[in-house]
Each structure stands twice: as structure tokens, then as C-alpha cells.
Amino acid sequence: MPLTFVGAFGTQFVTEKRAVQVTTDNALVIECKLEIQIGSEFIHVSQLPDLGTSNTFTFEINTILRNYLKSKLLPLTAGSVASDNTLVYGFGFYGTDANGTTISGEVVGGGGATLAYNFSQDEFTTINLTNYTCDLTGNNTRLLLTDYANPRKIVRNSYGVLSTLVTLTLQSWVIVATDNNLTVISTSQYAPLGTGIGSERYGSSVLFQASGVATRYFVFLADTPIGAGFTQTFRSKIYSFEVVDTPCNYLELFWVNQFGVMEGWLFDTNYSDSTSIEKASFLKNRPVNPSALDRGQDIYKVESVRRFRVWSDYESMETIKFLNSIALSPQVAIKVNGALVPVIVENQSVDNFNYHEPINRITFDLTLANKRINVV
């Protein structure tokens, strides 16, 4: 029996241990070479048999794939974009002899399928991809957001964001703007962009701007070509956004969630803003005839960092679980003067469940990622 692909450990979107394995009964194969293709680039890794075996070869590929992924928030510009946090790759195996020469017949592809890899997913439970089918035969969804009972809030002239695990090129993002009476004001559409395999697009996000006079926005996936307003063939749930007019006291937060795509949330009035300050000083040298200013200490450095505390309204457990991904995110930012400014979430833990005391609010402590240092 020639080289045989045994399988991949973990799912396509679980990265605690991402490994692939092959086996053979050909005694001439003493080493195996793994070839990974990412775009037009080929990566080769050689592996000796697993300990205690002479015919099984296991390759841990997390480290390799992570070198090609980056935690990245998207620029706030209306349109469909790729998250850049999902990677499509293919792999194959080559059984080699002592000289590194491939043995005839000892070549196999990785199950004949190209796989998608996501750097962020670290859940303990396996994701059931059938929950995200979003195909043309049903009304299921690959959207990653929770279905909210209340609309999400968005500041007028600011941006909303919605992201998916996988979309098809036969589908489009649709944004319907309405007034308070749900009278349609405008309809716009964007083709899903992202890393692709055939008709599938991984890590597709859409950003839209709440400009004009509309007071509500409804975002969903629909078949292409689209109709006007809500006359669509829906391929996802409809997600609603309520426009908040400025001036208002709010903090906009954006982050890369556990699926590797961008999310956003508006904390309307539920935030505080402060500055923590540290000073370094030394004792002055006192001259022979000191004046009043020659006494005491000199401050030679002042470090200041801006801090924020945000907290949610009373929310459902589904929404709380969704917001918990802020604390787990590798990259979080707040919006300041139209630009995203990185922050660090200082929470050491978040509450997931409490039977006796239901969790209905969540608080996050944030600091700007950069300190301000004044040196005298």
C-alpha cells in the first residue's frame, strides 16, 4: 500500500493543535516531505517517523500557517473587504528515501481538498460547520453574529460592520436604509470579498456608513442579482442597526473576534475616560545661597496613559457571550476623530455563566496602547 493520507487533527477552524498525518507500509520510505501551497508559494517540511513507529508521519503545521496570518483591523471605508485573518492553503505528501529522493508511487494529496485556516479560533468545542451552510438551497447562515432582539446602535456618519465565516460569489451583501416607518430610502450591495476557493469566500466583511437621513439600516446576504429594498432572496438573517444622532456621549469599539473577522459595538453613554500619570524626579543640588526655587525635587519625566472603562446595557446571555470576545481579541481599537486607535483590554477574566446570579452586564477596562512621555 502506498503513502496514505490519514487525516487532519482538529477542525478547519481550530488552531490549538493543527496537524496532518500520513502512513505507509513501504519499508523504503524513511522520511516524508510535506508540501504546503499558499497562493503561488510552496513550503516544504521534512519529517522522520513518529516515535515508536516506522511508517507514520505527523506534521504540526500551526507555526507554519501562522507566519502567513496577521491580526488586522480593517480601515473604516464603506465596501466589502477581506479580513486577511483567514488563509486558504493546500498540501501534499512525498515519501522519500535516505537521499531525499521521492519514491515512485509514494505521493498523495491532502485528502484532495484545499483547506481554510483561521488563526483566532481557540474554543474548546468543535465548530459544527453545517451551522454556517449559507448555501443556495436553504435559509441557513454563515454569519458569525448573534441574532439580537434589539437593534445594534451606530453613530450617524460613522461605520457599521458585519462579517461572515464563508460566503458564495453568487451572493451579495445588501444594505437597506429606511426611516422610522421602515420606508426604504436606499438599497446598496457589495460582492463578498475574501480569500477564495472556487465560489467560496472566507473571511468576508462589509463596512457601511450611516450617512444621509436614514434612521435604520438592515444588513443581510442575498442572491445576486439583488432586487430593491427587501424584495430579495435572503440567504441570511437580517441584522438591524439604529442610528444615533450626534452629539452624544459614546465610545465606538472595534475588534477581531474569535473567528478572525472584524466586529464593532457602540457603548452609548456607558463609558468613563481618565488619565493615569506617573512622574520621576530627583532631589535638587542645593547651592550655597539657595532661592525658594532651588529647593525640593525636579521632575524629569512624566508618563501618562489614557484609560477607559466601558460597560454594556442589560443584555441577553447570547449578547454577553458575543461581547466577551472583546477580552479574547488579539487586536482591539477605539475610534478617535475618524481613525482607529489601538487599545489594550486589561480584563484578566470574563464571566461566561452563573446559574444563581445571571450575568446580564459586562465591563471592560481599556488603556491606549501607547504611552505619552514628556521628558524635561
Side-chain angles (χ1 to χ4, degrees), residues 22 27 48 52 78 84 94 96 153 160 209 212 224-225 235 260 272 300 310 321 336:
V22 288
L48 294 172
D84 286 342
Y94 303 85
T96 63
K153 295 179 180 179
Q209 188 174 20
T224 305
R235 294 305 176 195
S272 63
Y300 63 91
V310 297
K321 184 178 179 181
V336 179

Side-chain angles (χ1 to χ4, degrees), residues 205-369:
S205 301
V206 66
L207 288 96
F208 62 96
Q209 188 174 20
S211 57
V213 297
T215 56
R216 291 181 181 271
Y217 285 83
F218 298 87
V219 185
F220 50 88
L221 285 170
D223 281 359
T224 305
I226 68 166
F230 297 101
T231 59
Q232 320 285 344
T233 303
F234 297 108
R235 294 305 176 195
S236 75
K237 301 171 185 176
I238 299 176
Y239 296 89
S240 59
F241 294 78
E242 179 184 354
V243 178
V244 177
D245 283 299
T246 54
C248 61
N249 294 310
Y250 61 87
L251 188 72
E252 293 176 276
L253 199 66
F254 295 88
W255 70 98
V256 175
N257 73 5
Q258 71 268 34
F259 291 92
V261 290
M262 184 171 171
E263 298 286 10
W265 191 266
L266 175 68
F267 292 90
D268 187 10
T269 72
N270 293 347
Y271 83 98
S272 63
D273 182 350
S274 63
T275 301
S276 63
I277 303 168
E278 292 184 7
K279 298 178 180 180
S281 63
F282 61 88
L283 191 64
K284 293 180 179 180
N285 289 323
R286 189 174 181 180
V288 176
N289 298 309
S291 66
L293 294 177
D294 292 326
R295 299 168 182 166
Q297 296 180 329
D298 254 342
I299 296 174
Y300 63 91
K301 185 173 70 171
V302 178
E303 291 186 3
S304 62
V305 61
R306 199 158 169 197
R307 297 182 179 273
F308 301 90
R309 171 168 286 185
V310 297
W311 56 93
S312 69
D313 291 326
Y314 290 98
E315 305 285 359
S316 67
M317 270 308 304
E318 284 184 324
T319 304
I320 293 297
K321 184 178 179 181
F322 163 72
L323 291 175
N324 276 347
S325 68
I326 296 174
L328 300 173
S329 175
Q331 188 167 6
V332 183
I334 61 174
K335 183 183 173 187
V336 179
N337 297 326
L340 293 181
V341 178
V343 295
I344 297 173
V345 181
E346 294 189 321
N347 293 52
Q348 297 297 313
S349 65
V350 290
D351 293 325
N352 297 317
F353 180 76
N354 187 322
Y355 181 83
H356 295 286
E357 298 180 10
I359 303 165
N360 48 30
R361 302 190 83 169
I362 189 168
T363 300
F364 295 103
D365 292 314
L366 316 170
T367 64
L368 285 187

Side-chain angles (χ1 to χ4, degrees), residues 129-144 164-173 192 199-201 220-223 233-237:
L129 294 182
T130 60
N131 294 334
Y132 304 94
T133 54
C134 196
D135 54 31
L136 299 181
T137 61
N139 199 31
N140 294 320
T141 177
R142 280 175 174 168
L143 288 174
L144 305 180
T164 65
L165 187 62
V166 184
T167 56
L168 300 179
T169 53
L170 297 178
Q171 300 161 352
S172 290
W173 291 105
S199 64
E200 294 181 330
R201 293 292 177 267
F220 50 88
L221 285 170
D223 281 359
T233 303
F234 297 108
R235 294 305 176 195
S236 75
K237 301 171 185 176

